[in-house]
Amino acid sequence: MHFITLILGTVLLNQAYSLECHCSQGSVCTNSKIECPSGQSCSSERHVSYSDGSKMSDVNLKGCALPERCVNRSMNLGVVQTLISSSCCTTKLCNSANAPEPVQSQRNGKSCFSCVGQTCTSSLACTGNQEFCYSASVTVDGQPIPVRGCVPKEMCQGHSSCCEGDLCNSASSTSAGLLLLMAPLLSLGLLS
Ligand SMILES: *[C@@H]1O[C@H](CO)[C@@H](O)[C@H](O)[C@H]1NC(C)=O
């Protein structure tokens, strides 16, 4: 009897916790569908990057997300600014619609250094949830290029490249997470 209860319980739990969502890429995304791990929602994100005020990429991403990722966010690295709108939902295949075009948030009173070429002395006004300053260096064609700017907390997790406080990012540092961060720039040829 206990055994049957256990089996029933497991089946019910599996039903309650496995959520099927639309997905846009990745090895676990087959036929544009994915089973999300327990605790995650279906998510739809739109990542729009601007350089010098003009749009240089606009990408829709779908898949699974932890609740803390289901927020609008942005980063500003001076040469490039990326705005992300995010919407999440928790019913089967509910994320078919694309997320809305992200809009620029208000200034939040914080400021960080950003770079123009090799010089990183311009002050950048942070917006929205850009609570941290970022500092890293990327090597392109053998030449180190400094990258500084305003980023949200989620881009700082596990990195020593972030600091909190106005204009705290004057020192140079490198980050393993940088490649991830710079991938859109590199793929667009902005840094080459
Ligand atoms: C996220 O941004 C979109 C516009 O891009 C807006 O419609 C939505 O209300 C925002 N969500 C939150 C939680 O601020």
Side-chain angles (χ1 to χ4, degrees), residues 70-72 84-86 100-103:
C70 299
V71 290
N72 293 341
I84 300 170
S85 67
S86 170
E101 170 123 28
V103 292

Side-chain angles (χ1 to χ4, degrees), residues 17 19-22 34-44 62-70 86-91 93-95:
Y17 287 102
L19 178 63
E20 191 181 21
C21 303
H22 293 287
I34 190 172
E35 288 285 334
C36 294
S38 115
Q40 299 201 7
S41 308
C42 297
S43 89
S44 184
K62 288 177 187 173
C64 310
L66 287 163
E68 57 262 35
R69 271 194 72 93
C70 299
S86 170
S87 58
C88 290
C89 53
T90 53
T91 54
L93 298 172
C94 59
N95 62 335

Side-chain angles (χ1 to χ4, degrees), residues 21-34 62-63:
C21 303
H22 293 287
C23 57
S24 53
Q25 61 182 21
S27 54
V28 287
C29 179
T30 42
N31 295 326
S32 301
K33 286 178 190 154
I34 190 172
K62 288 177 187 173

Side-chain angles (χ1 to χ4, degrees), residues 106-159:
Q106 300 285 318
R107 289 184 176 188
N108 63 17
K110 296 180 189 298
S111 52
C112 301
F113 283 117
S114 74
C115 308
V116 177
Q118 295 287 332
T119 311
C120 303
T121 48
S122 9
S123 169
L124 195 64
C126 305
T127 60
N129 63 353
Q130 295 167 357
E131 305 284 338
F132 291 82
C133 294
Y134 186 83
S135 172
S137 170
V138 62
T139 303
V140 178
D141 289 339
Q143 180 161 20
I145 296 175
V147 181
R148 308 272 157 85
C150 304
V151 298
K153 187 178 180 182
E154 65 150 49
M155 291 185 187
C156 295
Q157 278 152 8
H159 304 311

